[in-house]
């Protein structure tokens, strides 16, 4: 879920930075500002059920929380978390601001340069082997995407990310949902079924809103680094299972 929160929210930002000149200070400032404001709000969605930050926490209880609203939760902890409208940490805004700059621009640019270098080297080898002059394969994303289109994709990325996170929340509270509704192999455990569904939705989101190999590589790195980066905030002095 952390992967989904951080990576897919920066999908449109990735497209913008790949289709534009080198990262400028104003662009970096915009990415940082979005990450420090919108990022914690989206991140807070999965903190309402999936985890709680123990380091410098910020917990704001909904004024509309009632006993009836928490009756559907399975434990006292779930009930308490479900009544929160904001569950984050004071350390999260600056960290997510930095993450949006790195994941939304710096890392995709580095991956794109690497992919272009590999394509150019492969074309050179092919031309040398076949004694035919061949232009290097262009692996760069299209640059004719309009600013309005990028902004629209950014909004859709945030909304669909929030929806995927809330789905993960629902699956935690209703663990047999995938087995009841989807034709998934019975050999998969319930946890594996949840992961398969969320992964498929995240890949669909990437394919529709971005589709570049550089963004997919950045997402893959984040799928490992994202959860690890949260450990200091949720450990509470001890590493969780």
């Amino acid at each position: 879920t952390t992967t989904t929160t951080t990576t897919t929210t920066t999908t449109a930002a990735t497209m913008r930075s790949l289709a534009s000149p080198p990262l400028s200070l104003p662009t970096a400032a915009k990415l940082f500002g979005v990450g420090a404001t919108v990022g914690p709000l989206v991140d807070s969605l999965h903190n309402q059920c999936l985890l709680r930050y123990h380091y410098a926490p910020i917990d704001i209880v909904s004024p509309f929380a009632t006993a009836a609203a928490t009756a559907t939760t399975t434990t006292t902890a779930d009930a308490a978390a479900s009544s929160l409208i904001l569950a984050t940490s004071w350390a999260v805004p600056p960290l997510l601001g930095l993450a949006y700059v790195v994941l939304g621009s710096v890392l995709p640019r580095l991956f794109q340069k690497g992919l272009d270098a590999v394509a150019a080297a492969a074309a050179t080898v092919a031309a040398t082997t076949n004694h035919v002059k061949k232009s290097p394969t262009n692996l760069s994303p299209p640059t004719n995407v309009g600013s309005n289109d990028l902004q629209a994709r950014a909004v859709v990325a945030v909304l669909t990310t929030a929806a995927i996170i809330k789905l993960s929340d629902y699956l935690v509270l209703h663990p047999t949902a995938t087995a009841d509704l989807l034709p998934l192999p019975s050999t998969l455990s319930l946890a594996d079924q949840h992961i398969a569904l969320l992964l498929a939705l995240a890949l669909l989101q990437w394919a529709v809103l971005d589709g570049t190999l550089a963004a997919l590589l950045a997402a893959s790195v984040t799928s490992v680094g994202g959860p690890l980066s949260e450990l200091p905030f949720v450990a509470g002095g001890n590493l969780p299972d």
Side-chain angles (χ1 to χ4, degrees):
T1 304
T2 304
T3 304
T4 306
T5 305
T6 308
T7 306
T8 56
T9 304
T10 59
T11 297
T14 299
M15 293 185 296
R16 180 189 299 274
S17 48
L18 288 176
S20 62
L23 180 64
S24 64
L25 184 59
T27 300
K30 290 179 182 178
L31 286 171
F32 185 91
V34 172
T37 54
V38 177
L41 296 178
V42 178
D43 177 69
S44 178
L45 292 176
H46 83 292
N47 295 350
Q48 293 172 349
C49 176
L50 302 179
L51 59 84
R52 296 292 297 278
Y53 290 145
H54 298 291
Y55 177 80
I58 304 175
D59 294 334
I60 301 179
V61 179
S62 170
F64 305 105
T66 63
T70 58
T72 57
T73 55
T74 57
T75 66
T76 302
D78 290 337
S82 66
S83 65
L84 297 174
I85 58 174
L86 182 65
T88 185
S89 166
W90 288 105
V92 167
L95 289 177
L96 279 183
L98 180 61
Y100 272 50
V101 174
V102 174
L103 298 176
S105 184
V106 176
L107 202 57
R109 289 173 188 272
L110 291 177
F111 281 130
Q112 190 60 57
K113 288 183 179 180
L115 291 171
D116 290 343
V118 170
T124 301
V125 172
T128 303
T129 303
N130 301 326
H131 302 286
V132 176
K133 186 176 182 181
K134 183 178 179 181
S135 300
T137 303
N138 183 15
L139 295 180
S140 299
T143 58
N144 57 349
V145 181
S147 177
N148 291 337
D149 183 53
L150 287 174
Q151 292 176 3
R153 293 191 193 190
V155 173
V156 173
V158 172
L159 294 178
T160 52
T161 295
I164 292 174
I165 292 173
K166 291 309 292 182
L167 174 61
S168 66
D169 184 333
Y170 180 84
L171 294 177
V172 168
L173 299 178
H174 304 82
T176 63
T178 50
D180 295 338
L181 299 176
L182 299 176
L184 294 175
S186 58
T187 54
L188 290 177
S189 66
L190 291 177
D192 289 338
Q193 292 179 16
H194 297 171
I195 293 173
L197 175 60
L198 295 173
L199 178 60
L201 291 175
L203 287 173
L204 176 63
Q205 183 194 46
W206 162 78
V208 172
L209 297 177
D210 189 301
T212 63
L213 182 55
L216 183 61
L217 290 173
S220 301
V221 171
T222 310
S223 68
V224 177
L228 291 177
S229 68
E230 285 190 329
L231 288 179
F233 299 99
V234 302
N238 299 289
L239 292 178
D241 293 337

